[in-house]
Amino acid sequence: MRMRPLCLALLVPAIVLVAGTAKPRKHHAGSIKSAKEAKAIAEQDTGGKAVSARRIPLNGASGGWEVDVRMPHEERGYRCFIDADTHMVHSKTRIDQPGAKGKAEGSVRMVKGTR
């Protein structure tokens, strides 16, 4: 009779440990091949919307990607440099909102009655 409570006392923590383990991270195979992948990584890191992406030479044979990210509800966006081998943001800098009209390109006002 004593054996059952002892077995349950040992079994319950083992079940909890197995159920509580974190899932292993997904391994990225190879380098980033497309602008779509680079944009997705930049969007995930910044929380904004990627506007453009282009290949750049970056610290290695595979190079990297330069992605401009528009940040809604903020004055400035980001330019992210993503390493193609590690699938990580190498660096990011604040820039004027990409895709937005410049301050000098405001709306044109018509004043009637003047030439």
Side-chain angles (χ1 to χ4, degrees):
M1 290 270 188
R2 263 188 151 180
M3 190 59 107
R4 268 197 192 148
L6 182 60
C7 288
L8 284 176
L10 294 175
L11 187 61
V12 170
I15 292 172
V16 171
L17 285 176
V18 170
T21 58
K23 293 181 182 177
R25 296 186 83 188
K26 186 177 180 181
H27 179 68
H28 301 289
S31 62
I32 299 172
K33 302 281 189 227
S34 68
K36 185 177 180 180
E37 289 179 68
K39 285 181 177 182
I41 292 168
E43 288 175 356
Q44 183 178 9
D45 188 69
T46 60
K49 176 69 177 150
V51 176
S52 65
R54 66 184 188 102
R55 296 272 324 193
I56 58 169
L58 183 72
N59 73 357
S62 300
W65 291 84
E66 177 183 296
V67 181
D68 290 341
V69 180
R70 182 172 179 77
M71 298 297 292
H73 311 295
E74 291 186 27
E75 289 183 20
R76 303 186 67 149
Y78 283 104
R79 177 165 290 141
C80 299
F81 297 97
I82 301 170
D83 190 342
D85 291 328
T86 62
H87 294 236
M88 293 179 65
V89 175
H90 185 266
S91 66
K92 60 183 175 183
T93 56
R94 295 294 280 205
I95 59 170
D96 289 335
Q97 286 284 18
K101 292 183 179 178
K103 293 177 184 173
E105 296 180 15
S107 60
V108 178
R109 265 180 31 190
M110 279 295 274
V111 179
K112 295 191 177 192
T114 61
R115 285 191 163 195

